[in-house]
Amino acid sequence: MESIWSQTCEIGRRAPLPGDMETEIAVIGAGMAGILIAAALQEAGHQVAVLEAHRIASGQTRNTTAKITSQHGMLYRELAENLGENRARLYGSAHEEAIRTYRDLIAKRHIDCQLETCDAYVYGNSSERLKEEADTARRLGLPASFVSEIPLPLPAAGAVRFANQAQFHPLKFLSAMAEDLVIYEETPVRSVEGDVIRTDRGTVRAEKIVFATHYPFINFPGLYFARMHQERSYVLALENAPRIDGMWVGPKLDGYSFRRYGNLLLLGGGGHRTGENREGGRYEDLRQKARSWFPGCREVAHWSAQDCMTPDNVPYIGRYAACRPNWYVVTGFRKWGMTASMVSALLLRDLIDGKGNPYAPLFDPGRFSGSVLPGLAKEGRHAVKGLVRQVFQIPRESVADLAPGRGGVVTMAGRKVGVYKDTDGAVYVVDIRCRHLGCQLEWNGDEKSWDCPCHGSRYDCRGNLISGPAQENLTE
């Protein structure tokens, strides 16, 4: 089902790339990050063209919960301990600047995107831990405080409050920001070599190239597949639910989030690593919670999102790799893509213009420190597990064992395959190897999709690619 943003905003179509061309800067990806980067560079006097595989905002941007905030969960104490207070302060400052820039742009361009100033909260069960987080964030210069009373229908010892944050309608904002940009839709990029981008519609030669594709699809150089994983989460839009002001998130992956949009309450949760939801039930859990917490409420929409997670909880924003000085990348935004997209636009504008930027070392994709090592090892173990499963795991189910509406990995004619059986009993067979690096896919029972537990590529039940880093459909 479409998000409420997609249901309430239609962005005009753009033509595909008409053939071979040259431009000063090419931005690959027309989500929030790609559009903001292109707009910032164009305003700085550069010639920019944006290449989008499908439609503007057809990727993760349309499925955000659209929080514009520097409150990124229980983060700042961890950042201060692992990276030092100076870098933690820079992280908070960068995202506070992003909030101010959103406000300035919306006011300057008179964009009607339902921007609202509100507070952001992370709740938890340990008042001591919450107070320590609030104290750390406040010491770093952030508008943080501890509150003991929360208006949520679940038990909590309090929350960390960040004042003067914001929420908006992301697609209405993005539509306005894209108006004056050169954007080519339905132009999937297949490869990039030096300054040449090859698409299904022609080649683009660019002096500088920005990868704003959510998850980078070029494996070498960069090795981003070894430095990130992806996670999914789920959202219900509810009518007739009590008004809950502010933006609320839980401290853990499996926590719940709340934010208001007009007369609707957005209830989020059910988070898990992509490729680890075989039995499904995430939406049903949210529905049960909604019925219990808000009797009489009614679901009007539901959707899901996917986020790239880095080992040290800091995005990668900067040069793609040392050996590609004219390539740039933005990725690893975790669950905070709205502010991270704006940080990316401001930072890349300065890097490309040759200006100093105090945030560049913090977000440098080439950074390496001891705090990253455990995360890198964990990502490596998951990848090995996925590859080993492909070779050694023997399917326990047969096609006959699958109930209608279910999918699973089975043996058919002596070959391991993925099978989905629809509600009418029709069977759809796919090669179970991800087209990215060959990990074994797993069934997602909630979304009837084949998801990669290694790097997060997703395919529909017939094997058509939904999202990368893979670039090809599955074969039968």
Side-chain angles (χ1 to χ4, degrees):
M1 190 174 186
E2 289 189 329
S3 70
I4 54 173
W5 320 125
S6 296
Q7 294 177 32
T8 54
C9 178
E10 184 174 349
I11 301 176
R13 287 187 174 273
R14 304 294 182 93
L17 182 71
D20 296 349
M21 67 169 287
E22 294 186 5
T23 186
E24 180 191 357
I25 301 173
V27 177
I28 306 173
M32 186 65 75
I35 294 300
L36 287 178
I37 291 166
L41 290 170
Q42 182 167 289
E43 186 174 354
H46 297 282
Q47 180 194 32
V48 187
V50 181
L51 307 174
E52 168 55 46
H54 303 294
R55 297 286 316 284
I56 296 170
S58 60
Q60 301 308 316
T61 296
R62 63 179 174 165
N63 295 325
T64 178
T65 50
K67 305 179 181 80
I68 306 175
T69 177
S70 60
Q71 163 54 278
H72 295 175
M74 298 286 279
L75 175 69
Y76 288 97
R77 180 186 171 190
E78 181 179 347
L79 284 183
E81 290 176 349
N82 293 337
L83 303 181
E85 288 205 357
N86 287 338
R87 292 198 167 210
R89 183 175 292 106
L90 285 171
Y91 182 97
S93 176
H95 290 88
E96 281 289 305
E97 182 179 349
I99 299 169
R100 293 192 297 271
T101 306
Y102 269 112
R103 288 197 174 102
D104 291 345
L105 275 174
I106 290 167
K108 178 181 177 181
R109 297 189 178 215
H110 306 288
I111 300 175
D112 181 11
C113 59
Q114 296 163 284
L115 179 72
E116 296 181 64
T117 295
C118 58
D119 296 339
Y121 303 82
V122 56
Y123 63 88
N125 293 321
S126 169
S127 59
E128 180 181 357
R129 179 69 180 86
L130 292 164
K131 290 175 181 176
E132 289 174 349
E133 176 70 15
D135 289 343
T136 300
R138 188 167 54 250
R139 190 169 63 250
L140 297 174
L142 294 162
S145 61
F146 170 78
V147 295
S148 57
E149 299 295 328
I150 67 170
L152 303 180
L154 44 72
V160 180
R161 169 181 173 264
F162 275 36
N164 202 35
Q165 310 294 290
Q167 59 187 28
F168 70 156
H169 191 304
L171 298 194
K172 290 182 179 180
F173 171 80
L174 195 66
S175 179
M177 291 297 297
E179 283 181 358
D180 299 328
L181 300 178
V182 175
I183 303 171
Y184 299 105
E185 295 184 327
E186 305 297 342
T187 304
V189 173
R190 298 304 181 189
S191 67
V192 184
E193 299 173 6
D195 63 352
V196 177
I197 302 169
R198 302 190 186 283
T199 81
D200 291 350
R201 307 283 186 170
T203 62
V204 177
R205 188 177 296 274
E207 296 174 20
K208 298 183 186 298
I209 300 169
V210 177
F211 293 80
T213 56
H214 183 67
Y215 195 115
F217 61 91
I218 302 292
N219 292 323
F220 304 97
L223 298 171
Y224 290 96
F225 66 89
R227 299 195 282 149
M228 289 193 302
H229 71 272
Q230 299 200 63
E231 295 179 357
R232 295 198 65 70
S233 56
Y234 304 82
V235 183
L236 305 182
L238 304 172
E239 279 185 336
N240 302 324
R243 180 185 177 96
I244 297 178
D245 291 323
M247 303 175 293
W248 298 79
V249 296
K252 297 180 180 179
L253 174 62
D254 58 356
Y256 298 95
S257 70
F258 306 81
R259 75 149 277 197
R260 178 178 50 80
Y261 171 65
N263 66 342
L264 300 177
L265 177 66
L266 308 188
L267 171 62
H272 62 86
R273 185 178 175 121
T274 304
E276 296 183 353
N277 189 35
R278 184 174 181 273
E279 298 301 323
R282 309 289 174 156
Y283 279 126
E284 186 53 35
D285 174 74
L286 285 177
R287 289 168 181 140
Q288 289 179 3
K289 293 295 185 184
R291 289 191 292 268
S292 172
W293 290 337
F294 315 119
C297 69
R298 186 176 75 88
E299 177 185 329
V300 298
H302 65 267
W303 67 94
S304 58
Q306 186 149 300
D307 302 291
C308 294
M309 317 299 285
T310 63
D312 61 358
N313 296 319
V314 177
Y316 299 128
I317 306 170
R319 283 191 168 83
Y320 200 99
C323 62
R324 297 290 188 275
N326 293 323
W327 289 12
Y328 299 84
V329 66
V330 297
T331 188
F333 293 170
R334 298 172 65 237
K335 299 181 182 299
W336 312 105
M338 297 301 96
T339 44
S341 291
M342 186 65 79
V343 170
S344 299
L346 301 178
L347 178 50
L348 289 197
R349 178 198 62 194
D350 288 349
L351 288 179
I352 289 172
D353 279 345
K355 297 179 180 178
N357 187 298
Y359 307 123
L362 171 65
F363 296 106
D364 181 7
R367 67 183 181 269
F368 188 82
S369 67
S371 65
V372 177
L373 289 175
L376 293 178
K378 183 178 180 181
E379 299 308 323
R381 288 194 297 271
H382 270 280
V384 170
K385 182 180 178 182
L387 291 167
V388 168
R389 183 186 297 120
Q390 169 62 30
V391 176
F392 295 107
Q393 185 185 64
I394 300 174
R396 297 179 180 178
E397 292 183 307
S398 66
V399 175
D401 294 329
L402 293 176
R406 286 193 58 215
V409 180
V410 305
T411 298
M412 179 180 287
R415 186 167 66 99
K416 185 192 294 187
V417 295
V419 171
Y420 167 64
K421 184 185 292 184
D422 70 17
T423 53
D424 295 324
V427 171
Y428 301 93
V429 182
V430 299
D431 184 346
I432 204 61
R433 293 170 298 178
C434 180
R435 303 300 287 170
H436 176 227
L437 290 176
C439 291
Q440 179 173 304
L441 302 170
E442 294 296 332
W443 181 246
N444 181 336
D446 276 300
E447 302 178 272
K448 291 183 170 51
S449 62
W450 294 104
D451 298 355
C452 178
C454 296
H455 309 112
S457 298
R458 301 184 63 241
Y459 308 81
D460 69 18
C461 61
R462 300 190 182 199
N464 298 309
L465 181 67
I466 298 173
S467 62
Q471 292 181 275
E472 302 173 9
N473 296 334
L474 299 175
T475 57
E476 295 187 359

